[in-house]
Amino acid sequence: MDEETHHPEEPVRGHVACARCGTTAASGAPPATWLCSVENGGHRYLCEDCARRHIRAIESRLDSAWW
């Protein structure tokens, strides 16, 4: 196999912020309940509440600008 594994970028100052509401997680990595999406080559994290609120749009693969 010739696949390359890409790891998420390091969080800024040890915090990860939700791309929708701005909620922050103090740990070095996002909690297991957060969702990570890749848009335009960058990682975007969504907290559990925002992921639940927008799950239909996420599963439909709509661009986040639409929801």
Side-chain angles (χ1 to χ4, degrees), residues 8-32:
E9 299 171 5
E10 291 296 317
V12 178
R13 295 186 204 116
H15 292 17
V16 177
C18 175
R20 299 294 296 177
C21 69
T23 300
T24 59
S27 64

Side-chain angles (χ1 to χ4, degrees), residues 41-62:
H43 290 83
R44 294 176 46 115
Y45 294 97
L46 295 174
C47 68
E48 184 176 356
D49 293 334
C50 288
R52 286 183 182 195
R53 189 174 303 119
H54 300 288
I55 193 68
R56 290 184 182 178
I58 293 167
E59 288 180 344
S60 299
R61 296 181 178 242
L62 292 176

